[in-house]
Amino acid sequence: MTTSVKTTTSNDPQVLKNVNQVIDVLVLIDTDKLKEYYNSSTPQKKPSQDPKSPTDIDHSFEFMYCAGSRQPVQKQGTADLEFYAIPGDIVRFHGMSMYANSQDSVIVYDITPNSSARLFNHFDQIEVKIKGAAAPQIDDEGPGNYHGLPAQRVVGDFYAYSTTVKEGGDEAYKITFALYELDKNGENQLPFGYFRWDPTIHVS
């Protein structure tokens, strides 16, 4: 996966008005389409089972969405993305399946530059725990509360692959993710494979 990244050291007061802004990038994977490609291939292809040697895939399985960009996002909802950040900004990548990670689950675990230039600092997996996250009310005694409101408060765990923008420039990156699928008992998510693709992400 090759990601073209651009950052800026602009002194424009309008750009710099929010120091250390948080920018979130949702990496949404069509896991049904991806698994069908491997399960229906003849002879059957097997994705990598080694996280250190992921399988390269094309751009037909991925969609990226960005929130918090300093200027309007370009190519929203595609496998390539352009957003705007400055040094010091926090950028968090969130892996997600079409099932919201409930059946298939996606974890972004590596983002690597193609050269020695490093516009991002070191990436780390982070967890954010919210004690009073909102969730729909469930009627355990049968139909009735069909709309789920008012929301109940639950403990919510949220994860991201996070970094900060180090300096201005333009660099290509590779992004890697793990795909897990629910077992036949519906209780455990097991590894299906490890994948890498080359989105073009411009950070300007």
Side-chain angles (χ1 to χ4, degrees):
M1 316 183 293
T2 302
T3 300
S4 179
V5 179
K6 294 181 180 178
T7 58
T8 180
T9 54
S10 172
N11 292 319
D12 185 341
Q14 183 66 25
V15 174
L16 296 176
K17 65 180 181 179
N18 293 320
V19 177
N20 295 339
Q21 187 157 317
V22 177
I23 299 168
D24 287 283
V25 178
L26 175 64
V27 179
L28 185 64
I29 306 298
D30 187 342
T31 56
D32 278 350
K33 184 177 180 180
L34 182 56
K35 291 193 299 180
E36 176 64 18
Y37 172 78
Y38 283 93
N39 291 335
S40 64
S41 60
T42 305
Q44 185 173 355
K45 299 178 181 179
K46 290 187 178 294
S48 171
Q49 300 301 300
D50 181 0
K52 295 182 179 180
S53 182
T55 299
D56 289 309
I57 57 176
D58 63 26
H59 290 205
S60 61
F61 308 100
E62 312 88 8
F63 310 87
M64 290 189 293
Y65 298 87
C66 178
S69 176
R70 289 180 177 273
Q71 297 182 37
V73 178
Q74 305 297 320
K75 300 182 181 179
Q76 189 87 281
T78 70
D80 302 289
L81 190 67
E82 181 173 348
F83 62 92
Y84 298 83
I86 64 172
D89 282 347
I90 299 168
V91 183
R92 305 185 299 195
F93 288 82
H94 308 262
M96 184 75 69
S97 71
M98 295 288 192
Y99 297 99
N101 285 351
S102 62
Q103 181 166 321
D104 295 333
S105 183
V106 171
I107 298 176
V108 174
Y109 69 90
D110 189 46
I111 299 178
T112 306
N114 276 357
S115 75
S116 60
R118 290 191 176 274
L119 308 184
F120 290 137
N121 287 305
H122 180 74
F123 279 86
D124 287 300
Q125 297 286 2
I126 64 168
E127 177 185 10
V128 176
K129 187 180 293 288
I130 299 177
K131 293 182 179 180
Q137 289 277 0
I138 303 299
D139 189 346
D140 293 329
E141 297 182 1
N145 189 20
Y146 62 91
H147 50 65
L149 299 178
Q152 61 175 319
R153 300 300 174 184
V154 300
V155 176
D157 294 308
F158 304 92
Y159 303 90
Y161 199 44
S162 180
T163 186
T164 56
V165 177
K166 180 180 178 181
E167 60 182 346
D170 187 356
E171 180 54 66
Y173 279 76
K174 295 180 180 180
I175 301 178
T176 310
F177 66 91
L179 169 57
Y180 296 80
E181 63 177 347
L182 202 60
D183 65 12
K184 294 181 179 179
N185 295 324
E187 294 292 342
N188 298 289
Q189 291 176 323
L190 305 176
F192 178 82
Y194 302 91
F195 301 91
R196 177 176 61 196
W197 98 104
D198 59 347
T200 299
I201 301 178
H202 294 278
V203 183
S204 301

Tab-separated table of all heavy atoms in Angstrom, residues 6-44:
chain	number	residue	atom	x	y	z
A	6	LYS	N	1.346	14.494	2.316
A	6	LYS	CA	1.861	15.851	2.289
A	6	LYS	C	1.460	16.574	3.567
A	6	LYS	O	0.308	16.517	3.972
A	6	LYS	CB	1.318	16.626	1.093
A	6	LYS	CG	1.787	16.120	-0.259
A	6	LYS	CD	1.220	16.981	-1.374
A	6	LYS	CE	1.691	16.488	-2.739
A	6	LYS	NZ	1.114	17.292	-3.840
A	7	THR	N	2.412	17.237	4.217
A	7	THR	CA	2.102	18.088	5.355
A	7	THR	C	2.638	19.471	5.058
A	7	THR	O	3.365	19.683	4.107
A	7	THR	CB	2.733	17.538	6.650
A	7	THR	OG1	4.143	17.446	6.470
A	7	THR	CG2	2.156	16.175	6.987
A	8	THR	N	2.277	20.434	5.903
A	8	THR	CA	2.674	21.807	5.634
A	8	THR	C	3.181	22.472	6.894
A	8	THR	O	2.811	22.096	8.003
A	8	THR	CB	1.496	22.621	5.064
A	8	THR	OG1	1.936	23.961	4.826
A	8	THR	CG2	0.327	22.664	6.034
A	9	THR	N	4.023	23.461	6.738
A	9	THR	CA	4.502	24.263	7.862
A	9	THR	C	3.965	25.681	7.735
A	9	THR	O	4.605	26.649	8.097
A	9	THR	CB	6.043	24.296	7.886
A	9	THR	OG1	6.525	24.745	6.605
A	9	THR	CG2	6.602	22.925	8.174
A	10	SER	N	2.754	25.803	7.227
A	10	SER	CA	2.151	27.101	6.956
A	10	SER	C	2.090	27.977	8.205
A	10	SER	O	1.839	27.508	9.305
A	10	SER	CB	0.723	26.896	6.413
A	10	SER	OG	0.059	28.120	6.307
A	11	ASN	N	2.318	29.286	8.018
A	11	ASN	CA	2.185	30.258	9.102
A	11	ASN	C	0.860	31.008	9.028
A	11	ASN	O	0.652	31.990	9.734
A	11	ASN	CB	3.343	31.270	9.037
A	11	ASN	CG	4.672	30.617	9.380
A	11	ASN	OD1	4.740	29.805	10.298
A	11	ASN	ND2	5.714	30.958	8.635
A	12	ASP	N	-0.026	30.575	8.156
A	12	ASP	CA	-1.326	31.204	8.003
A	12	ASP	C	-2.092	31.097	9.320
A	12	ASP	O	-2.354	30.002	9.811
A	12	ASP	CB	-2.105	30.494	6.887
A	12	ASP	CG	-3.435	31.164	6.583
A	12	ASP	OD1	-3.928	31.934	7.433
A	12	ASP	OD2	-3.974	30.911	5.494
A	13	PRO	N	-2.500	32.229	9.939
A	13	PRO	CA	-3.213	32.175	11.226
A	13	PRO	C	-4.473	31.334	11.153
A	13	PRO	O	-4.862	30.695	12.132
A	13	PRO	CB	-3.535	33.653	11.507
A	13	PRO	CG	-2.525	34.420	10.709
A	13	PRO	CD	-2.277	33.609	9.481
A	14	GLN	N	-5.139	31.318	9.969
A	14	GLN	CA	-6.355	30.535	9.846
A	14	GLN	C	-6.049	29.040	9.946
A	14	GLN	O	-6.811	28.271	10.512
A	14	GLN	CB	-7.030	30.833	8.493
A	14	GLN	CG	-8.363	30.114	8.287
A	14	GLN	CD	-9.432	30.586	9.259
A	14	GLN	OE1	-9.367	31.714	9.759
A	14	GLN	NE2	-10.397	29.733	9.548
A	15	VAL	N	-4.894	28.627	9.394
A	15	VAL	CA	-4.505	27.223	9.438
A	15	VAL	C	-4.030	26.830	10.828
A	15	VAL	O	-4.291	25.743	11.325
A	15	VAL	CB	-3.402	26.947	8.393
A	15	VAL	CG1	-2.872	25.524	8.528
A	15	VAL	CG2	-3.927	27.195	6.989
A	16	LEU	N	-3.326	27.740	11.493
A	16	LEU	CA	-2.691	27.425	12.764
A	16	LEU	C	-3.580	27.689	13.978
A	16	LEU	O	-3.139	27.527	15.097
A	16	LEU	CB	-1.407	28.260	12.914
A	16	LEU	CG	-0.305	27.967	11.883
A	16	LEU	CD1	0.852	28.928	12.091
A	16	LEU	CD2	0.172	26.538	11.979
A	17	LYS	N	-4.820	28.096	13.771
A	17	LYS	CA	-5.651	28.524	14.897
A	17	LYS	C	-5.915	27.404	15.897
A	17	LYS	O	-6.154	27.650	17.072
A	17	LYS	CB	-6.970	29.102	14.392
A	17	LYS	CG	-7.867	28.103	13.681
A	17	LYS	CD	-9.153	28.783	13.231
A	17	LYS	CE	-10.097	27.802	12.539
A	17	LYS	NZ	-11.348	28.474	12.122
A	18	ASN	N	-5.887	26.137	15.442
A	18	ASN	CA	-6.103	25.010	16.345
A	18	ASN	C	-4.840	24.177	16.410
A	18	ASN	O	-4.531	23.418	15.504
A	18	ASN	CB	-7.269	24.136	15.850
A	18	ASN	CG	-8.592	24.856	15.916
A	18	ASN	OD1	-8.856	25.567	16.873
A	18	ASN	ND2	-9.418	24.697	14.895
A	19	VAL	N	-4.064	24.325	17.469
A	19	VAL	CA	-2.825	23.572	17.620
A	19	VAL	C	-3.153	22.155	18.090
A	19	VAL	O	-4.059	21.935	18.883
A	19	VAL	CB	-1.883	24.282	18.605
A	19	VAL	CG1	-0.628	23.469	18.818
A	19	VAL	CG2	-1.550	25.679	18.096
A	20	ASN	N	-2.385	21.189	17.590
A	20	ASN	CA	-2.567	19.784	17.962
A	20	ASN	C	-4.003	19.308	17.738
A	20	ASN	O	-4.622	18.708	18.609
A	20	ASN	CB	-2.158	19.558	19.417
A	20	ASN	CG	-0.679	19.789	19.641
A	20	ASN	OD1	0.120	19.737	18.715
A	20	ASN	ND2	-0.306	20.047	20.873
A	21	GLN	N	-4.506	19.556	16.572
A	21	GLN	CA	-5.846	19.111	16.210
A	21	GLN	C	-5.853	17.600	16.020
A	21	GLN	O	-4.879	17.010	15.562
A	21	GLN	CB	-6.290	19.803	14.914
A	21	GLN	CG	-7.732	19.538	14.529
A	21	GLN	CD	-8.262	20.629	13.635
A	21	GLN	OE1	-8.019	21.815	13.895
A	21	GLN	NE2	-8.958	20.253	12.583
A	22	VAL	N	-6.968	16.964	16.391
A	22	VAL	CA	-7.112	15.517	16.227
A	22	VAL	C	-7.832	15.240	14.913
A	22	VAL	O	-8.906	15.769	14.654
A	22	VAL	CB	-7.889	14.893	17.396
A	22	VAL	CG1	-8.095	13.389	17.158
A	22	VAL	CG2	-7.145	15.121	18.708
A	23	ILE	N	-7.215	14.413	14.071
A	23	ILE	CA	-7.768	14.041	12.777
A	23	ILE	C	-7.974	12.533	12.775
A	23	ILE	O	-7.043	11.767	13.031
A	23	ILE	CB	-6.825	14.470	11.639
A	23	ILE	CG1	-6.663	15.992	11.653
A	23	ILE	CG2	-7.343	13.983	10.289
A	23	ILE	CD1	-5.547	16.499	10.774
A	24	ASP	N	-9.196	12.102	12.516
A	24	ASP	CA	-9.521	10.677	12.529
A	24	ASP	C	-9.771	10.171	11.116
A	24	ASP	O	-10.494	10.801	10.336
A	24	ASP	CB	-10.747	10.417	13.398
A	24	ASP	CG	-10.439	10.551	14.872
A	24	ASP	OD1	-9.833	9.630	15.433
A	24	ASP	OD2	-10.791	11.587	15.470
A	25	VAL	N	-9.174	9.031	10.795
A	25	VAL	CA	-9.351	8.397	9.491
A	25	VAL	C	-9.955	7.009	9.701
A	25	VAL	O	-9.362	6.154	10.361
A	25	VAL	CB	-8.019	8.272	8.734
A	25	VAL	CG1	-8.233	7.562	7.395
A	25	VAL	CG2	-7.397	9.642	8.517
A	26	LEU	N	-11.167	6.807	9.169
A	26	LEU	CA	-11.823	5.507	9.238
A	26	LEU	C	-11.423	4.688	8.018
A	26	LEU	O	-11.633	5.113	6.878
A	26	LEU	CB	-13.346	5.670	9.274
A	26	LEU	CG	-14.169	4.375	9.229
A	26	LEU	CD1	-13.911	3.532	10.465
A	26	LEU	CD2	-15.655	4.702	9.094
A	27	VAL	N	-10.820	3.530	8.252
A	27	VAL	CA	-10.444	2.601	7.189
A	27	VAL	C	-11.501	1.498	7.166
A	27	VAL	O	-11.501	0.604	8.009
A	27	VAL	CB	-9.036	2.016	7.433
A	27	VAL	CG1	-8.683	1.029	6.330
A	27	VAL	CG2	-8.000	3.134	7.510
A	28	LEU	N	-12.423	1.590	6.208
A	28	LEU	CA	-13.561	0.668	6.122
A	28	LEU	C	-13.274	-0.381	5.052
A	28	LEU	O	-12.995	-0.039	3.899
A	28	LEU	CB	-14.827	1.448	5.783
A	28	LEU	CG	-16.139	0.674	5.757
A	28	LEU	CD1	-16.475	0.141	7.152
A	28	LEU	CD2	-17.265	1.570	5.257
A	29	ILE	N	-13.337	-1.653	5.442
A	29	ILE	CA	-13.008	-2.758	4.541
A	29	ILE	C	-14.270	-3.561	4.219
A	29	ILE	O	-15.026	-3.932	5.116
A	29	ILE	CB	-11.952	-3.700	5.167
A	29	ILE	CG1	-10.702	-2.909	5.598
A	29	ILE	CG2	-11.596	-4.808	4.185
A	29	ILE	CD1	-9.980	-2.228	4.473
A	30	ASP	N	-14.498	-3.817	2.913
A	30	ASP	CA	-15.590	-4.693	2.482
A	30	ASP	C	-15.100	-6.126	2.659
A	30	ASP	O	-14.568	-6.746	1.737
A	30	ASP	CB	-15.944	-4.399	1.027
A	30	ASP	CG	-17.190	-5.167	0.571
A	30	ASP	OD1	-17.565	-6.159	1.234
A	30	ASP	OD2	-17.778	-4.773	-0.463
A	31	THR	N	-15.271	-6.649	3.858
A	31	THR	CA	-14.714	-7.964	4.190
A	31	THR	C	-15.421	-9.098	3.450
A	31	THR	O	-14.798	-10.105	3.116
A	31	THR	CB	-14.777	-8.206	5.709
A	31	THR	OG1	-16.135	-8.061	6.157
A	31	THR	CG2	-13.905	-7.198	6.456
A	32	ASP	N	-16.726	-8.952	3.176
A	32	ASP	CA	-17.433	-9.985	2.417
A	32	ASP	C	-16.817	-10.142	1.032
A	32	ASP	O	-16.568	-11.254	0.562
A	32	ASP	CB	-18.916	-9.627	2.287
A	32	ASP	CG	-19.717	-10.005	3.511
A	32	ASP	OD1	-19.185	-10.715	4.385
A	32	ASP	OD2	-20.880	-9.585	3.603
A	33	LYS	N	-16.595	-9.023	0.361
A	33	LYS	CA	-16.019	-9.053	-0.981
A	33	LYS	C	-14.601	-9.606	-0.965
A	33	LYS	O	-14.222	-10.397	-1.833
A	33	LYS	CB	-16.030	-7.644	-1.580
A	33	LYS	CG	-15.535	-7.565	-3.005
A	33	LYS	CD	-15.644	-6.141	-3.531
A	33	LYS	CE	-15.148	-6.051	-4.975
A	33	LYS	NZ	-15.255	-4.652	-5.489
A	34	LEU	N	-13.836	-9.212	0.052
A	34	LEU	CA	-12.460	-9.672	0.150
A	34	LEU	C	-12.397	-11.174	0.408
A	34	LEU	O	-11.632	-11.905	-0.245
A	34	LEU	CB	-11.738	-8.908	1.264
A	34	LEU	CG	-10.257	-9.223	1.487
A	34	LEU	CD1	-9.446	-9.024	0.214
A	34	LEU	CD2	-9.698	-8.353	2.620
A	35	LYS	N	-13.211	-11.673	1.326
A	35	LYS	CA	-13.209	-13.104	1.620
A	35	LYS	C	-13.755	-13.919	0.448
A	35	LYS	O	-13.253	-15.005	0.158
A	35	LYS	CB	-14.032	-13.385	2.888
A	35	LYS	CG	-13.392	-12.846	4.160
A	35	LYS	CD	-14.060	-13.399	5.411
A	35	LYS	CE	-15.517	-13.015	5.476
A	35	LYS	NZ	-16.163	-13.543	6.696
A	36	GLU	N	-14.770	-13.399	-0.231
A	36	GLU	CA	-15.333	-14.097	-1.379
A	36	GLU	C	-14.305	-14.254	-2.483
A	36	GLU	O	-14.233	-15.286	-3.163
A	36	GLU	CB	-16.554	-13.338	-1.906
A	36	GLU	CG	-17.175	-13.915	-3.164
A	36	GLU	CD	-17.759	-15.302	-2.963
A	36	GLU	OE1	-18.002	-15.697	-1.807
A	36	GLU	OE2	-17.963	-15.989	-3.982
A	37	TYR	N	-13.472	-13.224	-2.667
A	37	TYR	CA	-12.426	-13.282	-3.689
A	37	TYR	C	-11.490	-14.462	-3.425
A	37	TYR	O	-11.118	-15.192	-4.349
A	37	TYR	CB	-11.638	-11.976	-3.700
A	37	TYR	CG	-10.412	-12.009	-4.587
A	37	TYR	CD1	-10.518	-11.875	-5.968
A	37	TYR	CD2	-9.136	-12.192	-4.039
A	37	TYR	CE1	-9.399	-11.933	-6.786
A	37	TYR	CE2	-8.008	-12.238	-4.850
A	37	TYR	CZ	-8.145	-12.105	-6.219
A	37	TYR	OH	-7.036	-12.162	-7.024
A	38	TYR	N	-11.133	-14.676	-2.173
A	38	TYR	CA	-10.208	-15.762	-1.839
A	38	TYR	C	-10.922	-17.106	-1.754
A	38	TYR	O	-10.394	-18.135	-2.197
A	38	TYR	CB	-9.466	-15.451	-0.544
A	38	TYR	CG	-8.358	-14.451	-0.773
A	38	TYR	CD1	-8.570	-13.094	-0.595
A	38	TYR	CD2	-7.108	-14.858	-1.221
A	38	TYR	CE1	-7.574	-12.163	-0.844
A	38	TYR	CE2	-6.098	-13.956	-1.479
A	38	TYR	CZ	-6.342	-12.604	-1.288
A	38	TYR	OH	-5.355	-11.694	-1.560
A	39	ASN	N	-12.135	-17.132	-1.213
A	39	ASN	CA	-12.835	-18.400	-1.033
A	39	ASN	C	-13.334	-18.986	-2.348
A	39	ASN	O	-13.508	-20.205	-2.478
A	39	ASN	CB	-14.005	-18.224	-0.067
A	39	ASN	CG	-13.541	-17.972	1.354
A	39	ASN	OD1	-12.442	-18.369	1.739
A	39	ASN	ND2	-14.372	-17.315	2.145
A	40	SER	N	-13.599	-18.137	-3.365
A	40	SER	CA	-14.165	-18.619	-4.626
A	40	SER	C	-13.131	-18.777	-5.732
A	40	SER	O	-13.464	-19.189	-6.845
A	40	SER	CB	-15.265	-17.659	-5.103
A	40	SER	OG	-14.724	-16.380	-5.394
A	41	SER	N	-11.880	-18.425	-5.462
A	41	SER	CA	-10.847	-18.503	-6.485
A	41	SER	C	-10.521	-19.969	-6.817
A	41	SER	O	-10.635	-20.852	-5.969
A	41	SER	CB	-9.575	-17.794	-6.021
A	41	SER	OG	-9.072	-18.387	-4.838
A	42	THR	N	-10.170	-20.206	-8.074
A	42	THR	CA	-9.819	-21.556	-8.531
A	42	THR	C	-8.482	-21.515	-9.264
A	42	THR	O	-8.376	-20.845	-10.294
A	42	THR	CB	-10.899	-22.121	-9.465
A	42	THR	OG1	-12.168	-22.078	-8.814
A	42	THR	CG2	-10.572	-23.551	-9.858
A	43	PRO	N	-7.451	-22.220	-8.815
A	43	PRO	CA	-7.431	-22.910	-7.516
A	43	PRO	C	-7.522	-21.905	-6.375
A	43	PRO	O	-7.198	-20.741	-6.552
A	43	PRO	CB	-6.085	-23.622	-7.528
A	43	PRO	CG	-5.224	-22.763	-8.416
A	43	PRO	CD	-6.140	-22.263	-9.493
A	44	GLN	N	-8.000	-22.366	-5.241
A	44	GLN	CA	-8.246	-21.461	-4.133
A	44	GLN	C	-6.961	-20.791	-3.661
A	44	GLN	O	-5.950	-21.443	-3.434
A	44	GLN	CB	-8.895	-22.188	-2.963
A	44	GLN	CG	-9.289	-21.239	-1.828
A	44	GLN	CD	-10.093	-21.933	-0.752
A	44	GLN	OE1	-10.444	-23.090	-0.883
A	44	GLN	NE2	-10.383	-21.221	0.325
